[in-house]
Amino acid sequence: NVNGREYDLFPEPKDLHGATVEQLRLMQFSNRKAEYLLDLSRAVVNGDLELEKTGKSDYHTALNNLLAVRGIGIWSANYILMRGAGHLDCLPLGDSGLHRAVRNLYKLKKAPEKEKVEKLAAPFAPYRSLYTLYLWYSLLDE
């Protein structure tokens, strides 16, 4: 409750411990996403993935720990590290908004390939998360 308004919060991993795919399907999750979410919650509950350490670990260690969890790919891992763990040098390659914003900013004829985005973002290291956020915000004016 904030200022008299109720907000739903995403459950803690321990709260999902007894959940089933069928229960999550009733909440509009696909079978695969439900399985991934349950795998992620189990990894946290069992101590295989320590989310608290993710923000304190170096980027590559944190990235590899997340990628080891079934269902977390490179985009999801970078998004978690950037938005949830506060890592400043994440670049969620493959994000359609990021690629569209790069196309707009650099006045490219088409959305760039991942390698081109990475090359254009290189001068902004070690702050590519901020580069990404500013590019996403630029899309609000479209």
Side-chain angles (χ1 to χ4, degrees):
N1 185 331
V2 177
N3 296 328
R5 187 169 178 191
E6 292 291 324
Y7 292 91
D8 292 323
L9 297 176
F10 200 81
E12 293 288 326
K14 64 180 173 34
D15 299 330
L16 292 173
H17 190 64
T20 65
V21 169
E22 293 74 26
Q23 289 171 317
L24 294 177
R25 291 278 299 133
L26 293 173
M27 294 187 284
Q28 306 303 309
F29 283 87
S30 68
N31 275 345
R32 185 70 68 203
K33 285 188 180 178
E35 290 170 2
Y36 292 161
L37 182 59
L38 293 175
D39 284 352
L40 176 60
S41 68
R42 282 186 206 106
V44 172
V45 169
N46 295 338
D48 297 328
L49 178 63
E50 298 180 66
L51 291 177
E52 294 78 24
K53 290 185 178 180
T54 303
K56 297 173 187 160
S57 299
D58 69 270
Y59 169 77
H60 292 289
T61 299
L63 180 71
N64 289 329
N65 287 342
L66 287 168
L67 291 174
V69 177
R70 184 174 80 112
I72 295 183
I74 193 73
W75 182 90
S76 297
N78 273 286
Y79 193 79
I80 290 166
L81 292 174
M82 181 171 58
R83 298 296 299 251
H87 278 269
L88 294 175
D89 199 32
C90 299
L91 189 64
L93 295 170
D95 180 82
S96 62
L98 173 61
H99 288 253
R100 191 169 73 247
V102 167
R103 182 195 71 217
N104 295 346
L105 177 66
Y106 295 96
K107 298 180 180 9
L108 304 173
K109 292 185 192 283
K110 62 179 184 161
E113 298 293 326
K114 292 176 184 178
E115 296 78 18
K116 179 75 170 177
V117 173
E118 198 164 25
K119 182 178 179 183
L120 291 169
F124 297 93
Y127 302 106
R128 293 179 301 172
S129 295
L130 297 173
Y131 171 78
T132 299
L133 288 173
Y134 283 123
L135 285 169
W136 282 340
Y137 290 143
S138 76
L139 297 174
L140 297 175
D141 295 332
E142 282 191 338

